[in-house]
Amino acid sequence: MEELLMKKLFTNTVLIKENLSKVQQVLMDGPQLMRWNPAISSLKNGTNNSFIIHRNDPAINSDEVLTIESKDQQVSYRSINGRLEYQLIFNLVEKVGSTLVTEDFYLLKDETLAIVFLQPIAKQAFNRNLNGLKRIIEINK
């Protein structure tokens, strides 16, 4: 992957009562996004493990292309072609009977206004989605 300017905007964490392998599997399954991110209206397969996402609800990015990659105990979502380009990195740590998920949100370009105005809104929205992921995984145990 090319080197990009990455500025961390925020971090969210959640403890999911499921093993690391299952959590990683759900994060890597692009179509599952619609189950735990309710703002997504449609999701179509793109190329090279990417997905074309559209939202009808108000969002920072109404449309974006999301590429999903995995390495070791980390899953990365890279969003381009939206108003705000970002990378969301999920670090997974297995605990006894659970997985600690730490979600770090990085801006891929210098967006000073985004940092000032969008950080609290984005942090809350992404945290809500992260807790949606937890619910989906734990309900389907």
Side-chain angles (χ1 to χ4, degrees):
M1 185 186 303
E2 64 193 64
E3 279 298 313
L4 300 166
L5 168 75
M6 289 185 40
K7 182 172 178 101
K8 188 193 259 186
L9 196 57
F10 59 81
T11 299
N12 289 315
T13 59
V14 69
L15 186 66
I16 300 175
K17 295 177 187 169
E18 183 58 84
N19 66 53
L20 187 144
S21 176
K22 176 65 176 179
V23 172
Q24 190 166 22
Q25 176 187 349
V26 173
L27 284 168
M28 289 296 300
D29 186 353
Q32 288 274 348
L33 271 166
M34 291 185 73
R35 295 186 66 215
W36 56 275
N37 185 335
I40 296 175
S41 305
S42 69
L43 183 142
K44 297 176 187 170
N45 287 329
T47 58
N48 298 330
N49 211 29
S50 69
F51 301 89
I52 301 161
I53 294 175
H54 174 74
R55 294 174 183 83
N56 287 333
D57 294 339
I60 294 170
N61 288 340
S62 296
D63 297 290
E64 64 187 333
V65 176
L66 190 75
T67 302
I68 302 175
E69 296 178 340
S70 178
K71 182 178 179 187
D72 301 323
Q73 297 179 339
Q74 187 178 81
V75 176
S76 172
Y77 289 4
R78 183 170 177 252
S79 171
I80 60 170
N81 296 350
R83 282 190 292 183
L84 193 67
E85 295 191 348
Y86 65 88
Q87 184 153 358
L88 195 59
I89 299 175
F90 300 92
N91 290 294
L92 311 176
V93 177
E94 190 139 25
K95 302 287 185 180
V96 178
S98 298
T99 303
L100 179 65
V101 180
T102 303
E103 167 190 75
D104 294 316
F105 183 98
Y106 295 89
L107 293 175
L108 297 181
K109 295 181 180 175
D110 187 11
E111 301 277 357
T112 306
L113 287 176
I115 294 168
V116 173
F117 295 110
L118 299 177
Q119 190 272 346
I121 297 165
K123 179 176 173 58
Q124 182 180 23
F126 278 84
N127 192 54
R128 185 174 49 249
N129 293 339
L130 189 60
N131 279 287
L133 172 70
K134 172 184 170 75
R135 280 189 301 279
I136 293 302
I137 291 174
E138 290 181 354
I139 287 170
N140 292 321
K141 279 186 89 169

